Amino acid sequence: MSDKKASNQMWGGRFASGPAAVMEAINASIGFDRKLYAQDIRGSIAHSEMLAKTGIISAADQEKIADGLTTILKEIEAGKFEFSTRLEDIHMNVEARLAEMIGPAAGRLHTARSRNDQVAVDFRLWVKDEFFRVTEALKGLMAAFVERAEEHAATVMPGFTHLQTAQPVTFGHHCLAYVEMFARDLSRVRDAIERMDESPLGAAALAGTGFPIDRHMTARALGFREPTRNSLDSVSDRDYALEFLSVAAITATHLSRLAEEIVIWSTPQFGFVRLSDSYSTGSSIMPQKKNPDAAELVRAKTGRVNGHLIGLLTVMKGLPLTYSKDMQEDKEAVFDAAETLDLMLAAMTGMVRDLTVNAAAMKKAAGSGYATATDLADWLVRSLGMPFREAHHVTGRAVALAEANKVGLEKLSLEDLRSIHAGITEDIFSVLSVHNSVKSRESFGGTAPSQVRRQVRYWKKRLAKA
Ligand code: ARG
């Protein structure tokens, strides 16, 4: 490549020569912003219609422009469009081709507009579409979990704190915990859409325009609720991209915690779940192995998504109003985070549907580690009127005795228990089984199968409406 080139046909009026090769390389965004082609063309057609309606351009020119843009859309979709780095970005690539096709009328399209509001409107449209894709994917994942919850409303497993056995819970309840998390993600998506649903088109370079444009018309045509209210903010705002990345990072973080649980649960040591061959890989050297690679990769890709959020926050943090070229760096972060998140959501939904639950292993683990110790303490409170703190102490002694005898709490004899506290009766054994433990936790939002079924009904109704 030679360093001297003809000056740019879009803005080269005051330039004697073209950019150095490395300038072109650092400046061009066409390598990635070509992804915005459909939004760019949609925005341009809406803009041209408005220009014609307000008498800024003629109807004949508008028709040529719209026809040309429609043809370009088809060319791009058919893979017949030649993108050029020299033309920097998607906006100038499309416009240059339009000029080639329809001649001088193409030059009228950019009246009362700048690439600054053009890229802002294109990118908003793209992010909004992606928010809708994420909405659907989240709903699919939630539905998968609700089904598993219904199926396992009464399947007992250990509940953990500090990854130490805490109290028995039901697997259905555990599944619904994730439904809650993804529902919050979904509501964050909806909030974000609500805030970003404004069209920046017509803010022009930064100050608005002297042409009698109708920004309400273009906002409506592009499916936005209304136009933005401040031209400076319109071209310098990337909150919608940051909010997308924030939502993506939080969602990815939820997916990663789930991935981590699947990795732990599928070890031979836990053996709580098994992924089928469709979601596992083997080892090239250890024939016995089945690895949860998909879950591990969901966990790992979270780092990438979270990194994009920090990346764009850092790009934006030092920028004075309004537009700076720094902002061109917004796109790769969002595109990659979106593609990554879509894949993570699809893989996780697949795994949730795929995994086989080993109820026997879960139940066995639920009964180990003195998981019903709290139930014992609660019994002392309920049946003997003991203050909870004292009951905690008495129970601690029962656990110590069971540990010394190497048995579970429910295997201690009544005599043993009475040696710790004389008031204990046979009835205590009714709470020492894991089954009775979970069944008793019927407080609203508790782990009892009856509560799980109640919440399953709630989520089914909500998802049907969502
Ligand atoms: N490719 C640019 C971007 O993505 C488009 C806006 C260019 N505006 C400008 N004043 N150079 O940000």
Side-chain angles (χ1 to χ4, degrees), residues 26-195:
I26 196 171
N27 202 33
S29 55
I30 189 62
F32 47 87
D33 71 12
R34 64 175 69 182
K35 234 189 162 82
L36 297 175
Y37 74 89
Q39 289 75 15
D40 193 68
I41 290 173
R42 214 178 130 200
S44 288
I45 291 178
H47 183 65
S48 73
E49 282 167 349
M50 181 279 291
L51 291 177
K53 169 97 186 302
T54 51
I56 298 168
I57 65 172
S58 71
D61 282 346
Q62 193 278 324
E63 206 173 303
K64 277 189 223 153
I65 290 170
D67 287 350
L69 288 171
T70 308
T71 308
I72 293 172
L73 180 67
K74 285 186 194 135
E75 286 179 353
I76 296 176
E77 270 164 2
K80 286 190 195 135
F81 189 93
E82 248 187 73
F83 292 100
S84 143
T85 312
R86 195 176 51 80
L87 290 166
E88 212 178 305
D89 58 22
I90 184 65
H91 324 295
M92 298 211 283
N93 269 267
V94 170
E95 199 183 317
R97 176 76 185 119
L98 187 65
E100 226 172 71
M101 288 167 66
I102 68 168
R108 299 195 187 279
L109 171 61
H110 215 50
T111 316
R113 183 177 79 167
S114 147
R115 273 190 297 155
N116 296 350
D117 58 338
Q118 189 178 357
V119 73
V121 81
D122 292 3
F123 201 31
R124 272 198 202 229
L125 286 169
W126 195 93
V127 171
K128 197 172 154 191
D129 281 349
E130 175 58 20
F131 269 134
F132 286 120
R133 281 191 285 276
V134 172
T135 299
E136 288 314 304
L138 280 171
K139 284 197 282 188
L141 177 55
M142 288 166 71
F145 261 128
V146 170
E147 268 178 47
R148 300 312 307 253
E150 185 167 37
E151 184 189 338
H152 290 287
T155 303
V156 177
M157 71 179 281
F160 300 95
T161 59
H162 313 263
L163 195 55
Q164 307 283 328
T165 304
Q167 293 173 351
V169 298
T170 50
F171 184 61
H173 196 48
H174 200 107
C175 290
L176 291 182
Y178 280 101
V179 173
E180 298 284 339
M181 294 187 230
F182 295 123
R184 286 194 296 274
D185 294 331
L186 191 55
S187 89
R188 271 183 279 274
V189 168
R190 294 198 165 130
D191 290 349
I193 294 176
E194 180 70 19
R195 256 187 304 283

Side-chain angles (χ1 to χ4, degrees), residues 25 42 53 55 78 90 107 137 143-144 147 161 179 207 242 247 252-254 275 315 319 367 405 426 429:
R42 214 178 130 200
K53 169 97 186 302
I90 184 65
E147 268 178 47
T161 59
V179 173
L242 289 171
V247 171
T253 299
H254 291 155
L275 287 168
V315 166
L319 301 186
N405 294 358
E426 186 75 35
F429 290 102

Side-chain angles (χ1 to χ4, degrees), residues 99-409:
E100 226 172 71
M101 288 167 66
I102 68 168
R108 299 195 187 279
L109 171 61
H110 215 50
T111 316
R113 183 177 79 167
S114 147
R115 273 190 297 155
N116 296 350
D117 58 338
Q118 189 178 357
V119 73
V121 81
D122 292 3
F123 201 31
R124 272 198 202 229
L125 286 169
W126 195 93
V127 171
K128 197 172 154 191
D129 281 349
E130 175 58 20
F131 269 134
F132 286 120
R133 281 191 285 276
V134 172
T135 299
E136 288 314 304
L138 280 171
K139 284 197 282 188
L141 177 55
M142 288 166 71
F145 261 128
V146 170
E147 268 178 47
R148 300 312 307 253
E150 185 167 37
E151 184 189 338
H152 290 287
T155 303
V156 177
M157 71 179 281
F160 300 95
T161 59
H162 313 263
L163 195 55
Q164 307 283 328
T165 304
Q167 293 173 351
V169 298
T170 50
F171 184 61
H173 196 48
H174 200 107
C175 290
L176 291 182
Y178 280 101
V179 173
E180 298 284 339
M181 294 187 230
F182 295 123
R184 286 194 296 274
D185 294 331
L186 191 55
S187 89
R188 271 183 279 274
V189 168
R190 294 198 165 130
D191 290 349
I193 294 176
E194 180 70 19
R195 256 187 304 283
M196 59 105 66
D197 203 8
E198 299 176 345
S199 170
L201 190 58
L206 76 163
T209 174
F211 290 100
I213 58 171
D214 183 349
R215 295 191 55 213
H216 292 272
M217 178 180 168
T218 44
R220 226 177 301 119
L222 295 171
F224 288 107
R225 191 183 56 235
E226 59 192 332
T228 51
R229 289 169 189 282
N230 182 297
S231 63
L232 302 175
D233 181 53
S234 304
V235 295
S236 73
D237 167 37
R238 290 295 181 273
D239 285 4
Y240 52 94
L242 289 171
E243 286 204 44
F244 171 74
L245 292 172
S246 314
V247 171
I250 297 174
T251 305
T253 299
H254 291 155
L255 290 170
S256 183
R257 294 181 74 173
L258 171 59
E260 170 68 3
E261 296 208 303
I262 291 177
V263 169
I264 293 174
W265 291 345
S266 61
T267 57
Q269 288 75 8
F270 270 76
F272 287 4
V273 301
R274 215 172 54 83
L275 287 168
S276 78
D277 291 354
S278 337
Y279 282 92
S280 339
T281 56
S283 157
S284 53
I285 178 164
M286 296 166 282
Q288 85 283 10
K289 290 199 74 177
K290 250 182 134 178
N291 299 326
D293 290 31
E296 293 169 87
L297 286 164
V298 165
R299 190 173 58 185
K301 284 176 191 296
T302 302
R304 195 160 142 175
V305 174
N306 293 0
H308 286 313
L309 171 61
I310 301 299
L312 187 57
L313 282 168
T314 311
V315 166
M316 296 304 295
K317 72 177 256 305
L319 301 186
L321 301 189
T322 58
Y323 178 85
S324 295
K325 193 65 172 248
D326 308 51
M327 287 157 68
Q328 180 166 283
E329 288 288 314
D330 57 0
K331 287 166 211 67
E332 283 165 294
V334 168
F335 291 156
D336 185 68
E339 197 178 310
T340 306
L341 184 66
D342 293 349
L343 185 58
M344 289 166 77
L345 283 165
M348 198 44 99
T349 307
M351 277 185 272
V352 169
R353 290 198 179 280
D354 178 82
L355 49 86
T356 311
V357 171
N358 185 341
M362 282 185 176
K363 183 161 181 213
K364 187 155 174 248
S368 72
Y370 312 106
T372 55
T374 319
D375 298 274
L376 195 159
D378 286 350
W379 185 91
L380 296 171
V381 170
R382 249 191 340 260
S383 308
L384 307 182
M386 211 180 263
F388 184 79
R389 283 293 161 225
E390 188 187 335
H392 186 285
H393 195 75
V394 171
T395 306
R397 280 162 54 207
V399 169
L401 182 63
E403 214 165 18
N405 294 358
K406 297 192 171 60
V407 294
L409 282 175

